Amino acid sequence: MTGLDRFRDAFLKPELIARYWPDILSGIAVTLQIAVAVVITGLALGLMLAVIRSYRIRLANLPIIVFVDIFRALPPLVVILIVYFGLPNLGINISGFAVLWLVLSLVLAAFAEEIFWSGIVSVRKGQWDAARSTGLDHWQTLTSVILPQAIRICVPPLTNRTIAVTKNTALGTVIGVGEIMNQGTSAMSLSGNATPLMMAAVAYVVIFVPVVALGSWIERRFAWKRA
């Protein structure tokens, strides 16, 4: 048996591909559901926190800053394990799917808030003053003048961070969420062969390469044009 034959037998065994592809497809569906939910809730919460912070109310800003610093500092896996195994001791029982969605949404929100906030403060103060001089209040100035410019500035770091956080759906395997990695590792344990894990890797490529390409297109679409 040649080296190539041994590689095929270990990673690309046809009968195992035929047996486990429905499980991998099921994992893809779960991964996509979590990823979409995380992106929607994480970005929305991050933007909302940045908007609240723009009012510069100290009692509101301090909890936001603490939240952002904590969730940017802690590894997502640590938070997932604390929430999944800690909340039942408080009488709160939620599914692994909900824990993964909640934690990744909070992590993305923390990074998104800081990115949105950086975009808001990067807009020159003269823009605020000019808008306010026309009679616009803070909310109108923020939504009509500042945010359109800030969001455009934020697109590159925001797309990169969003992709990085959504790939953490693989962490769901440690709490039994039936996403791609969980299906792949479970099938590998049952079969004693790495073919299901290779199938999981291919599934991630199929999902995230188009997402990365979309992110690059969005960055080019919203990039500032040179005069």
Side-chain angles (χ1 to χ4, degrees):
M1 180 181 288
T2 66
L4 181 59
D5 291 333
R6 286 194 295 271
F7 178 84
R8 289 174 179 169
D9 187 64
F11 293 98
L12 298 170
K13 209 166 186 176
E15 56 267 31
L16 294 181
I17 294 175
R19 184 191 307 173
Y20 289 112
W21 72 264
D23 296 329
I24 299 299
L25 287 179
S26 173
I28 289 174
V30 173
T31 297
L32 289 175
Q33 290 172 22
I34 297 174
V36 171
V38 166
V39 170
I40 293 173
T41 54
L43 293 182
L45 179 58
L47 179 59
M48 182 184 73
L49 293 176
V51 168
I52 294 173
R53 193 173 172 185
S54 73
Y55 283 87
R56 301 183 185 275
I57 302 172
R58 183 169 298 181
L59 289 178
N61 286 359
L62 182 59
I64 293 174
I65 294 171
V66 171
F67 162 78
V68 169
D69 288 346
I70 289 175
F71 277 91
R72 290 173 67 201
L74 286 175
L77 179 58
V78 173
V79 184
I80 289 170
L81 293 176
I82 291 174
V83 173
Y84 186 74
F85 293 106
L87 288 184
N89 293 317
L90 300 176
I92 303 173
N93 294 290
I94 56 178
S95 67
F97 184 101
V99 168
L100 186 61
W101 163 74
L102 175 63
V103 171
L104 294 185
S105 294
L106 293 176
V107 171
L108 179 56
F111 282 100
E113 188 280 333
E114 199 66 16
I115 293 171
F116 282 126
W117 175 244
S118 298
I120 289 172
V121 298
S122 69
V123 178
R124 294 182 178 181
K125 187 176 182 296
Q127 300 273 359
W128 288 90
D129 295 338
R132 296 302 294 270
S133 68
T134 64
L136 299 180
D137 60 23
H138 182 92
W139 173 254
Q140 292 170 327
T141 299
L142 185 66
T143 55
S144 300
V145 179
I146 305 302
L147 277 182
Q149 300 177 69
I151 290 175
R152 191 169 186 176
I153 295 170
C154 294
V155 165
L158 205 56
T159 53
N160 290 332
R161 179 52 56 181
T162 300
I163 292 169
V165 171
T166 52
K167 286 192 293 186
N168 283 331
T169 53
L171 297 176
T173 190
V174 300
I175 55 174
V177 179
E179 42 71 57
I180 295 172
M181 183 59 69
N182 180 270
Q183 298 290 357
T185 53
S186 297
M188 183 177 69
S189 299
L190 292 173
S191 64
N193 187 279
T195 297
L197 196 60
M198 179 63 77
M199 295 168 66
V202 171
Y204 279 114
V205 170
V206 169
I207 291 176
F208 286 104
V209 165
V211 172
V212 171
L214 177 62
S216 298
W217 178 84
I218 292 174
E219 290 179 17
R220 293 192 301 270
R221 174 66 179 80
F222 289 94
W224 293 104
K225 301 294 189 298
R226 291 182 181 273

